[in-house]
Amino acid sequence: MFKKIILGTLLGLALASPGVSSADVSLLNVSYDVTREFYKDYNAKFAGYWREKTGQTVAVQQSHGGSTKQARSVIDGLEADVVTMNQQTDIDAISAIGKLIPADWRRLLPHQSSPYSSTIVFLVRKGNPKGIKDWNDLARSGVSVIIPNPKTSGNGRYSYLGAYGYALKKQGGDDAQARAFVGKVFKNVPVLDTGGRGATTTFIQRGIGDVLLTFESEVLLIQQESGGAKFDVVVPSLSIEADAPVAVVEKYASKHKTQQVAQAYLEYLYQAEGQELIAKHFFRPRDAAVAARYSGRFPKIPLFTVDELFGGWQKAQQTHFADGGVFDQIYEGKKPGTGV
């Protein structure tokens, strides 16, 4: 039943190199873990649009993994034409460290170059045997929580900040109390996969954990795939807004002479057809008319932002996820990224 999801975990390396293509032009989209199904459909739709518009045949290859690992791969030489990530700091790193993207990349497309968003919700075993209703239940003794590694995964960072923000807003805590709360949650995490799809595999295929924290899009896809037979969705009382920024990797696109089609590939995400497909794949679209048509599939949930509670991604990254930061301090005694 979950064959499509699980087989997707094997595709990242196979699709990571441009290879030989009979198309007039080829693009490589380096993306994060849980967008495989969306971009497979989007690539076909864009190819049809581009052929009709220009007469040119375009082939788009995909590479998927933990968002930060993917950014590092591009910095280290994976020649992406475009990157489609789940947090701004990964594209900032490609810009600042790799010198591959302009520093003002946020200003080059609408909504700070973020054509859609998601949020973090919970997936539990059918019947919710542990009675998990909100973030506070994740800190209870005897609850096993599956979250990917915040050091390598944007999904993991959003889950971590979601728990931290819950403690600040709903429990009326200060930073010390929030750190203590998040520490209790991560004591209940038995394994840290490097990306969101790996965490899904751990929860579904390996049967580990009572609750999976992941993007709403991933949870709703799993629920659709299972027909609601094996899992229940739990929507917490509030959560964190997860923007999905995109950018043309200008240095590589220039080298490949794909700047025009790469730019069009990202701009098409904002057009009605792209926004419709975004909503069909359970991501939250920016277009108001499309959002209204699909409003029934997205729970109404209060969302806070990284800017609102954490001073923006750069500050959050340095404070919480840099080496020796708050996450490392909280998780001392375990080995982030090793699965132990």
Side-chain angles (χ1 to χ4, degrees), residues 5-327:
I5 293 177
I6 302 307
L7 286 179
T9 65
L10 304 177
L11 294 179
L13 291 177
L15 295 174
S17 300
V20 178
S21 173
S22 61
D24 296 323
V25 62
S26 294
L27 294 179
L28 175 60
N29 174 12
V30 173
S31 192
Y32 62 103
D33 244 347
V34 301
T35 57
R36 289 177 174 88
E37 293 77 20
F38 166 64
Y39 277 111
K40 180 181 178 182
D41 287 352
Y42 177 78
N43 293 344
K45 184 172 282 291
F46 174 76
Y49 159 79
W50 192 248
R51 187 183 306 111
E52 183 177 346
K53 179 180 175 68
T54 68
Q56 191 176 48
T57 301
V58 59
V60 185
Q61 295 178 301
Q62 300 169 232
S63 172
H64 297 275
S67 184
T68 298
K69 287 188 67 178
Q70 292 291 81
R72 172 50 62 181
S73 294
V74 175
I75 293 167
D76 289 343
L78 179 59
E79 294 190 3
D81 298 280
V82 298
V83 287
T84 55
M85 299 300 192
N86 61 26
Q87 64 173 68
Q88 297 175 8
T89 51
D90 290 327
I91 299 183
D92 283 336
I94 297 170
S95 173
I97 301 172
K99 309 298 183 185
L100 302 172
I101 294 172
D104 66 346
W105 63 268
R106 290 175 184 79
R107 305 167 75 179
L108 302 181
L109 288 166
H111 300 286
Q112 291 195 306
S113 292
S114 179
Y116 60 90
S117 68
S118 189
T119 188
I120 297 294
V121 297
F122 308 161
L123 191 73
V124 298
R125 309 290 174 188
K126 191 66 182 177
N128 194 7
K130 293 296 179 76
I132 296 165
K133 297 179 181 179
D134 210 343
W135 294 93
N136 59 297
D137 294 311
L138 307 180
R140 290 190 345 234
S141 177
V143 174
S144 178
V145 183
I146 302 301
I147 300 173
N149 189 349
K151 301 283 280 190
T152 57
S153 165
N155 182 324
R157 279 191 280 279
Y158 280 116
S159 295
Y160 167 100
L161 294 176
Y164 204 102
Y166 171 85
L168 291 176
K169 290 180 73 72
K170 293 287 282 192
Q171 296 186 335
D174 56 18
D175 279 317
Q177 290 169 305
R179 286 176 61 152
F181 173 73
V182 174
K184 291 178 181 179
V185 173
F186 274 87
K187 282 183 179 178
N188 288 340
V189 177
V191 58
L192 286 176
D193 294 287
T194 58
R197 188 52 61 84
T200 296
T201 302
T202 293
F203 187 72
I204 293 176
Q205 289 291 94
R206 298 173 64 191
I208 297 173
D210 301 305
V211 54
L212 170 70
L213 272 64
T214 190
F215 291 122
E216 177 182 59
S217 54
E218 179 85 336
V219 164
L220 296 179
L221 174 63
I222 294 167
Q223 190 74 337
Q224 181 185 68
E225 288 286 309
S226 72
K230 292 187 176 182
F231 307 100
D232 290 330
V233 177
V234 173
V235 178
S237 61
L238 85 166
S239 195
I240 186 168
E241 183 174 357
D243 291 331
V246 301
V248 174
V249 186
E250 292 199 1
K251 183 174 181 179
Y252 291 142
S254 177
K255 176 182 177 180
H256 304 155
K257 302 187 187 308
T258 56
Q259 302 102 311
Q260 182 184 12
V261 64
Q263 183 69 23
Y265 179 81
L266 297 185
E267 289 176 351
Y268 191 64
L269 287 165
Y270 291 88
Q271 296 187 27
E273 296 86 353
Q275 290 283 292
E276 187 91 14
L277 195 61
I278 282 166
K280 286 180 178 178
H281 279 265
F282 305 108
F283 297 100
R284 297 188 176 216
R286 299 296 191 186
D287 184 279
V290 175
R293 286 199 297 274
Y294 286 87
S295 61
R297 69 170 44 190
F298 298 112
K300 290 180 172 56
I301 173 174
L303 301 177
F304 58 85
T305 67
V306 175
D307 287 349
E308 175 190 350
L309 286 190
F310 301 100
W313 266 115
Q314 289 188 349
K315 183 176 179 181
Q317 176 68 27
Q318 186 61 37
T319 300
H320 293 275
F321 308 117
D323 289 344
V326 176
F327 173 72

